[in-house]
Amino acid sequence: MSKRALITGITGQDGSYLAEHLLDQGYQVWGLCRGQANPRKDRIAKLIPELSFVDGDLMDQGSLVSAVDLVQPDEVYNLGAISFVPMSWQQPELVTEVNGTGVLRMLEAVRMVSGLTKSSGGGPPRGQIRFYQASSSEMYGKVAESPQRETTSFHPRSPYGVAKAFGHYITQNYRESYGMYGVSGILFNHESPRRGAEFVTRKISLAVSQIKLGLMDKLHLGNLDAERDWGFAGDYVRAMHLMLQQEQPGDYVVGTGAMHRVRDAARIAFEHIGLDWQEHVVVDPGLVRPAEVETLCADSGNARRELGWEPEVDFEQLMRMMVESDLRQASRERDYRQLLATGSW
Ligand code: NAP
Ligand code: G4F
């Protein structure tokens, strides 16, 4: 019989790639969706027609118990979160509720439906449901060492990072307290043409496509010197799945090991359309964060050795892929507008 997976955050970037990957592996996949008439649900339902949906919200314990009970999943992937870091200074309590306490609620739902009570200690993992938590390199914050690995201590620099650290530790605690098969993937930044427009790589690729078509001229960015280890989301969802297929549960760092600055992302994207980024990028101090994570770089040695995971797309390929995708979309929209304006169907 095929395995069943429940994904929270199904309408997000990673949810869509993970769902496609699991469907390819022969899974039945349910996405947890919140809200009344969520427009992002319609979009993902069109993109992946094989998906099933179940209602639920990480703010609502009862809805999560009902969802897990209804789906009876073999694997739960908890990807749901408010994932834009600056939002966590604007609404710290909400972000803590969703990204921190929301993890606890999801773990409780899994524990209750699995009938798990306290662990007698040691032994193989118990319960039928395996749980994946979307932890983040943002937990490393002001980094204690470079590159960062599973044993590097956390020093989060945003309410987002603090909430993610809670989610990380509570997942570890349910593993130790109840013997649950619960793991966290400490994923470094990963991007794609499906990335939200608020994140810097997509902000750049969207702007570049608009500039190419003469629809805008200047792109406003914040800290150009921030360094990130950027990879392709399609590669990273393979690591999530692999983590739940191991005999023993464990946490893994996932990243490429290559670091680039924000200014490199801009340079590559503008070069791809034959323009000089310095003529179009404007630094806006208002976009600089109250406490910045200056540098992040992954040591994914454990994931490579133990999971057999390797990324396939490098940073240059990633930026070019995103620019190409946004250019295609922007050109289609421009052509459509021209057709409407001229009436020449
Ligand atoms: P994303 O595109 O922003 O998607 C976030 C998802 O969370 C959306 O589907 C959103 O659903 C859902 N969500 C928000 N609030 C919710 C709530 N109260 N209850 C249930 N679902 C809720 O994020 P992503 O890039 O796919 O990232 C997936 C996960 O990995 C997140 O937990 C993120 O923090 C973490 N992460 C991401 C990266 C990265 O570089 N992408 C790196 C490390 C960790 P709606 O449509 O209803 O808003
Ligand atoms: O693209 P970003 O907004 O991603 P950030 O803050 O690193 O967070 C992403 O990765 C985390 C993993 O490390 C995830 F947990 C999180 O959910 C999210 O997916 O910003 C990247 C860097 C930052 O240093 C920021 O200050 O780019 C810098 N930056 C410079 N100008 C900008 C801008 N970021 C944004 N969003 N917009 C700018 O104009």
Side-chain angles (χ1 to χ4, degrees):
M1 221 173 67
S2 58
K3 280 193 186 172
R4 301 153 82 92
L6 172 62
I7 303 175
T8 75
I10 192 68
T11 57
Q13 170 188 257
D14 292 6
S16 69
Y17 282 105
L18 179 64
E20 286 171 342
H21 181 62
L22 295 178
L23 286 164
D24 280 351
Q25 307 282 315
Y27 281 62
Q28 295 177 53
V29 181
W30 274 261
L32 184 98
C33 237
R34 69 181 173 132
Q36 187 180 329
N38 184 337
R40 300 176 78 197
K41 177 181 172 186
D42 295 340
R43 224 172 48 198
I44 184 99
K46 277 204 195 85
L47 182 71
I48 313 177
E50 303 88 339
L51 261 182
S52 304
F53 294 96
V54 57
D55 291 326
D57 193 310
L58 289 165
M59 301 279 283
D60 178 354
Q61 179 72 75
S63 74
L64 302 179
V65 176
S66 300
V68 175
D69 194 38
L70 183 99
V71 174
Q72 293 289 322
D74 299 284
E75 297 170 7
V76 170
Y77 294 86
N78 187 39
L79 312 186
I82 296 171
S83 72
F84 187 46
V85 173
M87 177 99 183
S88 75
W89 282 285
Q90 286 155 9
Q91 292 181 278
E93 192 178 338
L94 178 66
V95 169
T96 302
E97 271 295 321
V98 176
N99 298 7
T101 316
V103 184
L104 172 62
R105 293 193 190 100
M106 204 62 219
L107 284 162
E108 269 295 280
V110 169
R111 185 189 70 74
M112 286 182 204
V113 173
S114 313
L116 285 178
T117 51
K118 102 180 149 134
S119 165
S120 48
R126 304 184 307 145
Q128 295 304 309
I129 307 174
R130 296 186 169 202
F131 180 85
Y132 173 88
Q133 167 55 20
S135 283
S136 165
S137 51
E138 187 73 14
M139 300 185 304
Y140 294 121
K142 194 167 186 210
V143 296
E145 62 177 342
S146 212
Q148 295 83 51
R149 48 191 165 161
E150 289 79 3
T151 51
T152 303
S153 58
F154 298 152
H155 183 150
R157 296 272 282 166
S158 59
Y160 170 91
V162 174
K164 281 285 176 184
F166 173 81
H168 185 84
Y169 284 128
I170 198 68
T171 303
Q172 253 176 29
N173 181 259
Y174 269 54
R175 187 160 79 210
E176 292 168 9
S177 302
Y178 301 108
M180 187 186 283
Y181 192 113
V183 306
S184 294
I186 308 177
L187 269 51
F188 284 58
N189 299 50
H190 45 280
E191 321 291 311
S192 74
R194 298 180 194 169
R195 185 61 145 153
E198 64 274 42
F199 299 96
V200 76
T201 54
R202 186 77 197 287
K203 185 173 170 181
I204 292 171
S205 66
L206 278 166
V208 162
S209 68
Q210 299 292 305
I211 289 169
K212 171 79 177 169
L213 299 184
L215 299 170
M216 69 187 258
D217 187 43
K218 298 290 181 210
L219 165 62
H220 292 251
L221 293 175
N223 180 6
L224 298 180
D225 290 320
E227 293 176 301
R228 289 290 184 278
D229 177 341
W230 278 293
F232 172 51
D235 284 339
Y236 287 37
V237 299
R238 287 189 283 109
M240 297 178 188
H241 176 242
L242 285 167
M243 278 182 228
L244 290 194
Q245 313 313 310
Q246 307 306 303
E247 203 171 314
Q248 291 299 324
D251 303 331
Y252 290 91
V253 160
V254 177
T256 68
M259 208 161 52
H260 297 89
R261 291 183 193 274
V262 170
R263 63 176 70 243
D264 300 323
R267 178 182 50 73
I268 294 167
F270 278 95
E271 269 175 15
H272 189 63
I273 57 159
L275 293 179
D276 178 355
W277 71 278
Q278 299 192 74
E279 288 175 13
H280 296 276
V281 170
V282 177
V283 173
D284 178 348
L287 292 169
V288 175
R289 299 176 182 187
E292 174 68 295
V293 174
E294 296 290 349
T295 174
L296 286 173
C297 186
D299 175 350
S300 295
N302 287 352
R304 288 171 197 254
R305 274 188 305 275
E306 293 169 25
L307 306 178
W309 177 81
E310 290 287 341
E312 288 172 3
V313 177
D314 71 23
F315 180 59
E316 284 223 18
Q317 290 169 323
L318 175 64
M319 286 309 303
R320 290 171 194 277
M321 175 204 301
M322 292 173 70
V323 170
E324 279 299 318
S325 166
D326 284 328
L327 257 179
R328 271 195 304 276
Q329 175 71 19
S331 306
R332 267 199 302 271
E333 283 165 11
R334 181 200 52 190
D335 295 347
Y336 181 66
R337 272 196 305 274
Q338 278 172 355
L339 280 173
L340 279 182
T342 57
S344 55
W345 286 101

